[in-house]
Amino acid sequence: MDPKRELTSVDLAAIVRELGAYEGAKVDKAYLYGDDLVRLKLRDFDRGRLELLLEVGEIKRAHTVAPERVPDAPGRPPQFAMMLRNRLSGADFAGVEQYEFDRILEFTFEREDGTTRIIVELFGQGNVAVTNGEYEVIDCLETVRLKSRTVVPGSRYEFPESRTNPLTISREAFAYEMDDSDSDVVRTLATQLNFGGLYAEEVCSRAGIEKGMDIADADEAVYDRLYETIERLAIDIRNANVDPRLYLEDTDDESGSPDDTDETSPDRVVDVTPFPLEERAELPADAYETFLSALDDYFFRLELADEDEPDPTTQRPDFEAQIAKYERIIEQQEGAIDGFEREADALREQAESLYANYGLVDEVLSTIRTARGQDRPWDEIEATFDEGKERGIEAAEAVIDIDGSEGTVTVDVDGEYVDLVVRDGVEQNADRLYTEAKTVEEKKEGALAAIEDTREDLEDAKRRRDEWEADDATDEADMDETDEEIDWLSESSIPIRENEPWYDRFRWFHTSDGYLVIGGRNADQNEELVKKYLEPGDKVLHTQAHGGPVTVLKATDPSEASSHDIELPDSSIEEAAQFAVSYSSVWKDGRYAGDVYAVDSDQVTKTPESGEYLEKGGFAVRGDRTYYDDTPVGVAVGIQCEPYTRVIGGPPSAIEGTAATTIALEPGRYAQADAAKRIYRRFRERFEDESYVRKVASPDRIQHFMPPGGSRIAED
């Protein structure tokens, strides 16, 4: 049985009820991993740190996760993540809804400056769209341009056409939908009623109806039994009456007799549901208190199983990836444990500070309770405290904020901000803080137990690696030294070797002859290149067209001694010319060629002629220029696998010899962001190791090497 990788509509209906309990949580930060996983870090008043994952790629899910299981934060937040942080930092989680019975969740966040909605599409290609309160799209992971609907920045978000909601359908409408079918009962429930295959079968099983019964043979009594079963299912979901199950499959039964090995394989997760299913009755199952915790465990174990799964294309399992995974988990768990300790200590210190300042705290609470007992509104009470601050009253000065909707007051006690429940006294508030500290300590104990399990898994992976290498006559270090050419596209696991050179913030490429070419992205960078990095022996190239980058063909690296004696090859100069014209307004205007001139570095000056003025980024040229008329535009974007793993871009003749694979571009109708996503998808199709593409070649990174203006893939 293939493991479940996408949540169903029934799953989402159950998730909405549980996520609603976190309303009021505040957003701390947002992250984007690759192009399909969004993480929101929140703080819940009662539960502390809250982590929400929204994934819309091959895995489609939306649920909370334990803090020790969150993935490491990406090193460089992409534009989408920065946009989320700008809009959501400090915002309150106002709720989540499922759109009709579709696999769409709408998360709402409120802040003083407005409303933000995150709409998560967990069907088809998957998408995350961010809109304002009026559903105007701010940004989205994927642009959608169909006859039926459009999802693009600047437009109003359009939901897909509504489908039948079986959880709210009337008896008459149910009969109409069933009668409108020419199939059997189970297929009708799956398609006409939108239950999907598994839950359509479950409804039939619970109702005691033969799944293959032809609709023509189903009478009103059959309809009644089916409808009553659906109603009971709907009531359970509406009332959050869940009894979650995580279903397992014995891998030994699949692979043959367990006697063939010394150790039996662990059971594999195959499904997770909000309540027990008759359709899964034959499978072993683990019970959970909440559906969110079951989902957290399921997808965590599914990810581990995917990484542990042996690759059929290679003889040697990827022990290094397994070990790195467990080490990363341990690091995360250790960080969570440290966080729990700090949080528990802070809560206890707050409780102790209440007792240490008993009189002050009691005066604040008593004053508010007395005023509320006189039916004075909260805003009037807050105004009274503000007046007290002006008069220098100590109790008033300690009050930071009063929240009438929650019945709480935030006070400054010994430099610590402490949230107090007004209806409770000092002792009860202190007891609550001690209880919260104890709860956090219990989380720490759970994390300690989890880390021991992970350490055992780590040691087991190391043992299996050592046993394999003891029997393997070929040492991996020797293999690295061979001169055999590697087919990187077919490699199942490509090691990451990062390198961020000093010129990475500019436009850049290395010519076919190995010379570095750098160009400015804006006027500031053009200015910097001429003033700081232009040295004797370098060539400067520029287009005749307005708006081109300052392009410098470096004769030497800035760390090396400059020299007039280096003769730059014509091929490198021609590639630098193509680079200069491609990243200028020539491409943006949709033209395929333009004129470029080249001069020596000593012909370039920032001192204008008398009576003239140079704009920022501009320069003056003294002496003759060498022209390269009708230089064709041309850009290729590629993925490099050695000696470093990264995206590169520039003239095709220079890039194709260095990258494992390239995609040529030409001026076209697709905006930069849209074209970058199309290129990214092409790269993912070419590499066996799709995770490698996600790690090194995100659409944002690809866009870094694309010309300004519209583009298209050359063969499109």
Side-chain angles (χ1 to χ4, degrees):
M1 179 186 300
D2 291 334
K4 172 183 189 170
R5 297 183 180 275
E6 299 182 3
L7 296 181
T8 68
S9 294
V10 173
D11 295 336
L12 296 185
I15 288 170
V16 164
R17 306 297 175 225
E18 293 191 5
L19 285 176
Y22 295 102
E23 289 185 16
K26 286 192 177 294
V27 180
D28 278 340
K29 216 164 188 180
Y31 304 86
L32 176 65
Y33 300 80
D35 66 339
D36 55 24
L37 175 59
V38 174
R39 168 189 160 204
L40 298 181
K41 180 181 177 182
L42 304 95
R43 286 177 290 112
D44 181 70
F45 181 77
D46 295 318
R47 303 168 183 84
R49 179 179 168 188
L50 178 68
E51 296 282 358
L52 177 65
L53 292 189
L54 311 171
E55 188 168 9
V56 294
E58 180 183 352
I59 300 289
K60 293 183 174 65
R61 55 176 174 149
H63 60 88
T64 56
V65 299
E68 63 269 19
R69 289 179 174 174
V70 295
D72 295 335
R76 178 185 298 175
Q79 179 183 349
F80 189 86
M82 294 303 298
M83 176 274 299
L84 283 176
R85 294 180 186 183
N86 290 336
R87 294 193 64 88
L88 296 182
S89 180
D92 293 324
F93 172 44
V96 58
E97 296 179 356
Q98 180 184 19
Y99 176 71
E100 300 293 339
F101 193 61
D102 280 337
R103 288 186 290 163
I104 299 176
L105 293 181
E106 179 182 332
F107 293 84
T108 303
F109 299 89
E110 300 284 357
R111 204 168 62 177
E112 288 185 359
D113 57 354
T115 298
T116 298
R117 307 182 193 276
I118 298 182
I119 303 173
V120 185
E121 300 179 357
L122 297 161
F123 63 90
Q125 295 297 317
N127 201 4
V128 175
V130 180
T131 79
N132 61 18
E134 286 70 47
Y135 291 94
E136 180 182 350
V137 178
I138 308 302
D139 202 355
C140 49
L141 292 183
E142 293 285 346
T143 55
V144 178
R145 292 183 176 89
L146 303 173
K147 289 183 178 179
S148 58
R149 61 190 291 255
T150 300
V151 181
V152 296
S155 70
R156 181 177 174 81
Y157 178 86
E158 297 179 5
F159 286 96
E161 185 177 349
S162 297
R163 304 190 305 163
T164 300
N165 186 343
L167 302 184
T168 59
I169 195 170
S170 67
R171 175 64 174 80
E172 293 74 20
F174 171 77
Y176 175 81
E177 293 288 351
M178 298 294 284
D179 289 339
D180 194 42
S181 171
D182 57 1
S183 185
D184 55 29
V185 170
V186 71
R187 287 187 175 87
T188 302
L189 290 172
T191 56
Q192 297 286 101
L193 275 295
N194 300 312
F195 267 117
L198 175 61
Y199 283 98
E201 294 179 353
E202 181 69 14
V203 168
C204 290
S205 295
R206 292 188 179 190
I209 301 299
E210 177 62 38
K211 300 172 187 175
M213 176 185 291
D214 195 283
I215 283 293
D217 298 329
D219 56 20
E220 288 299 313
V222 170
Y223 283 4
D224 285 340
R225 286 159 65 184
L226 291 171
Y227 187 74
E228 289 169 4
T229 300
I230 294 172
E231 273 195 318
R232 287 195 295 271
L233 183 67
I235 290 171
D236 283 342
I237 293 175
R238 281 196 296 270
N239 295 335
N241 184 24
V242 298
D243 185 12
R245 291 292 186 273
L246 187 153
Y247 289 99
L248 307 162
E249 187 174 60
D250 189 346
T251 54
D252 288 328
D253 292 341
E254 286 188 344
S255 58
S257 171
D259 295 334
D260 294 339
T261 60
D262 293 334
E263 300 177 8
T264 58
S265 302
D267 290 342
R268 181 181 65 176
V269 295
V270 292
D271 203 353
V272 58
T273 61
F275 25 70
L277 300 185
E278 294 185 17
E279 289 299 305
R280 296 283 188 256
E282 78 284 357
L283 295 176
D286 293 337
Y288 288 78
E289 289 187 8
T290 66
F291 190 35
L292 289 174
S293 62
L295 288 167
D296 181 11
D297 253 14
Y298 176 82
F299 284 106
F300 176 72
R301 293 166 67 173
L302 178 64
E303 182 180 4
L304 288 180
D306 285 347
E307 296 200 7
D308 286 343
E309 190 74 23
D311 189 338
T313 65
T314 180
Q315 295 182 349
R316 185 182 189 277
D318 192 352
F319 294 114
E320 286 70 27
Q322 297 173 24
I323 291 170
K325 173 69 178 179
Y326 291 131
E327 289 175 339
R328 186 167 68 251
I329 293 170
I330 290 172
E331 184 179 352
Q332 293 166 0
Q333 291 170 330
E334 289 174 339
I337 291 169
D338 290 339
F340 291 145
E341 290 176 347
R342 289 193 297 270
E343 185 178 355
D345 289 342
L347 289 167
R348 280 191 291 268
E349 288 175 4
Q350 289 181 10
E352 291 164 4
S353 68
L354 295 186
Y355 284 116
N357 297 270
Y358 191 103
L360 176 69
V361 177
D362 184 57
E363 183 179 352
V364 171
L365 293 173
S366 299
T367 300
I368 298 176
R369 284 199 299 270
T370 300
R372 289 298 296 162
Q374 298 170 353
D375 293 329
R376 293 174 63 187
W378 287 99
D379 56 353
E380 183 180 324
I381 295 171
E382 191 167 9
T384 301
F385 275 97
D386 289 340
E387 293 174 3
K389 291 178 184 178
E390 294 177 359
R391 298 202 303 270
I393 298 174
E394 184 181 8
E397 291 176 339
V399 174
I400 303 302
D401 181 57
I402 296 177
D403 188 343
S405 63
E406 297 289 338
T408 61
V409 57
T410 303
V411 296
D412 182 349
V413 184
D414 294 337
E416 291 284 339
Y417 287 4
V418 184
D419 295 327
L420 303 174
V421 178
V422 172
R423 68 173 180 273
D424 296 336
V426 178
E427 294 88 349
Q428 292 98 325
N429 275 288
D431 287 345
R432 173 177 54 80
L433 292 170
Y434 280 125
T435 301
E436 290 179 13
K438 185 177 180 181
T439 301
V440 173
E441 288 282 7
E442 291 172 354
K443 291 181 180 179
K444 172 189 167 184
E445 293 303 318
L448 285 170
I451 201 172
E452 287 305 315
D453 291 339
T454 309
R455 283 176 176 146
E456 290 179 5
D457 292 336
L458 173 61
E459 291 306 314
D460 181 62
K462 289 181 177 179
R463 176 185 57 78
R464 289 185 283 113
R465 178 198 61 186
D466 293 343
E467 289 176 353
W468 183 282
E469 291 180 350
D471 296 334
D472 192 347
T474 305
D475 184 86
E476 187 175 353
D478 293 337
M479 294 178 64
D480 290 342
E481 295 175 2
T482 62
D483 295 330
E484 294 180 8
E485 186 174 342
I486 300 175
D487 180 6
W488 292 109
L489 301 185
S490 301
E491 287 290 302
S492 60
S493 179
I494 302 174
I496 304 298
R497 294 182 291 272
E498 295 182 344
N499 176 49
E500 292 191 11
W502 62 269
Y503 46 79
D504 196 44
R505 59 195 178 91
F506 299 102
R507 298 192 186 280
W508 65 272
F509 78 99
H510 284 95
T511 70
S512 303
D513 306 297
Y515 290 92
L516 174 65
V517 176
I518 49 178
R521 293 182 174 276
N522 49 47
D524 287 333
Q525 287 195 351
N526 285 344
E527 188 90 2
E528 183 179 1
L529 286 177
V530 174
K531 286 185 174 181
K532 185 175 180 180
Y533 293 107
L534 188 59
E535 297 175 306
D538 296 345
K539 286 282 187 185
V540 177
L541 299 97
H542 201 269
T543 59
Q544 289 290 88
H546 179 71
V550 169
T551 300
V552 178
L553 172 57
K554 297 291 297 176
T556 58
D557 189 91
S559 61
E560 301 172 344
S562 59
S563 174
H564 287 282
D565 299 331
I566 296 176
E567 185 174 346
L568 294 167
D570 290 341
S571 56
S572 288
I573 299 174
E574 290 168 0
E575 287 175 344
Q578 187 173 48
F579 175 88
V581 74
S582 297
Y583 290 95
S584 72
S585 60
V586 172
W587 185 291
K588 192 173 184 178
D589 293 341
R591 292 182 285 143
Y592 284 79
D595 297 338
V596 181
Y597 66 82
V599 295
D600 294 332
S601 59
D602 55 10
Q603 294 179 251
V604 175
T605 178
K606 289 294 297 178
T607 303
E609 297 284 359
S610 178
E612 294 182 353
Y613 169 75
L614 291 178
E615 297 180 350
K616 177 181 283 190
F619 56 90
V621 175
R622 309 278 193 262
D624 296 335
R625 312 180 185 191
T626 301
Y627 283 90
Y628 296 84
D629 297 332
D630 295 323
T631 298
V633 298
V635 170
V637 178
I639 297 182
Q640 189 176 17
C641 297
E642 58 178 356
Y644 302 111
T645 49
R646 60 190 178 189
V647 178
I648 57 176
S653 59
I655 300 305
E656 288 168 357
T658 308
T661 184
T662 63
I663 293 177
L665 304 179
E666 59 186 27
R669 60 189 178 90
Y670 296 107
Q672 259 195 357
D674 291 346
K677 291 174 183 177
R678 295 168 70 89
I679 296 168
Y680 171 75
R681 287 193 288 267
R682 291 283 184 94
F683 282 143
R684 285 188 61 174
E685 292 170 359
R686 294 182 182 183
F687 278 86
E688 179 73 19
D689 183 5
E690 289 189 8
S691 65
Y692 170 73
V693 181
R694 289 198 299 269
K695 292 172 185 174
V696 305
S698 66
D700 277 355
R701 194 60 187 158
I702 291 170
Q703 193 171 337
H704 189 75
F705 288 90
M706 294 176 61
S711 299
R712 66 188 295 269
I713 296 174
E715 65 267 23
D716 277 0

